[in-house]
Amino acid sequence: MTPVIGIKADTVPRTARAFGCAALAAAALGLCGAGAAAAATPAPPAPAALSTAQLTAGRAAAGSDATLKVLDDFFAHAPSHGGATAGHAAKDATTHLSGDSVAVYALNPDFVSGKAGAPVARAGYVATKAVSATGQTASVWSRRTADGWKVVNIASGSDETDYAARAGGDGTAFREPQINAWYVLRGDRVLPLNTEAKATVGAAGESVAAYYAHVHSAYGDKLPGSSYAREGYAGGFGTAAAKAAAGSKATATGDTAATTTTTATTSAAHGPGGSTTVAALAGTAALLGLTGVLTRRRLLRR
């Protein structure tokens, strides 16, 4: 072996080994540091909240005389409550709003696509619970339009306010509309609020990173602008959502089990009774200027 200047030949292997061990140790520390950094990845930004003024405006639209008139007819013709006479059983009571109006959040397409800094969910509208004279409930959806705050949909039941209440003010309740899964986002954890959510993230929930892997795999190629969306299949994302809600096409991402069906399609699915409902509600909905649809939710296990 050729001696190295300044180092005896017989010490080179030992020195080399010592240097190699030091290098490996340093590398190991570096890897550990990288792991610690990964583990300390900050939670994603919280979804932007609606202001008190926006919530108030949304509630005002939900509580207008025109909306309450539509609600009376909506409740009166609810097929699960005895048809057209159900809403007139208690003449001394009136349809009224109940509880706080809440911002309703849904899975954010930007998060699904992997856009840097995108929050998991985004606010879509304000929901207000309405209760009939006979105790039936409905969720009134309001959102800001070019003409101000308007009611855009009335759905049977009160999922939106119920799940917001289940979040208990700790985190943001949001919905993955393609499978009707409701979650609460708390820091870097996505926790389930209903059965559909448990099937996705487990009873204990999962990290935001793991949830991203799920939604990106399921919907990453079905976002607005994709061929899937252009063909009208992208229920829950983009303008195709309205078509999906109206039953024009079922999606391959779980919309065949969606929780709402439109009154406009009830006649085709359930016979003459549906036609009566549509006829009875069409006039009052026109008075309100509904830009969405009146919907009846299917009953699901929670």
Coordinates of all heavy atoms in Angstrom, one line a residue, residues 3 58 61 70 73 142 170 196 239:
P3 N 2.1 4.8 1.0 CA 1.8 5.6 2.2 C 1.1 6.9 1.8 O 1.4 7.5 0.8 CB 3.2 5.8 2.8 CG 4.0 4.7 2.3 CD 3.5 4.5 0.9
G58 N -77.4 35.3 5.3 CA -78.0 34.0 4.9 C -79.2 33.6 5.6 O -80.2 33.1 5.1
A61 N -82.3 35.6 4.5 CA -83.0 35.0 3.3 C -83.8 33.8 3.6 O -84.9 33.6 3.1 CB -81.9 34.7 2.3
V70 N -92.8 28.7 1.0 CA -92.3 27.5 0.3 C -92.1 26.4 1.3 O -92.4 25.2 1.0 CB -90.9 27.8 -0.4 CG1 -90.4 26.6 -1.0 CG2 -91.2 28.9 -1.5
D73 N -95.4 24.6 2.1 CA -95.8 23.6 1.1 C -94.8 22.4 1.0 O -95.3 21.3 0.8 CB -95.8 24.3 -0.3 CG -97.0 25.3 -0.4 OD1 -97.9 25.2 0.5 OD2 -97.0 26.2 -1.2
S142 N -78.6 29.0 1.8 CA -78.6 30.3 1.3 C -77.1 30.6 0.8 O -76.2 30.2 1.5 CB -79.0 31.4 2.3 OG -80.2 31.1 3.0
D170 N -65.1 22.6 18.0 CA -63.7 22.2 18.0 C -63.3 21.7 16.6 O -63.5 20.5 16.4 CB -63.4 21.2 19.1 CG -62.0 20.8 19.2 OD1 -61.1 21.5 18.6 OD2 -61.7 19.8 19.9
E196 N -70.4 6.7 6.9 CA -69.7 6.7 5.6 C -68.3 7.2 5.9 O -67.3 6.8 5.2 CB -70.4 7.6 4.7 CG -71.7 7.1 4.1 CD -72.9 7.3 5.1 OE1 -72.7 7.9 6.2 OE2 -74.0 6.9 4.8
T239 N -69.5 22.7 -12.2 CA -70.9 23.0 -12.6 C -71.6 21.7 -12.9 O -72.8 21.6 -13.0 CB -70.9 23.8 -13.9 OG1 -70.1 23.2 -14.9 CG2 -70.3 25.2 -13.6

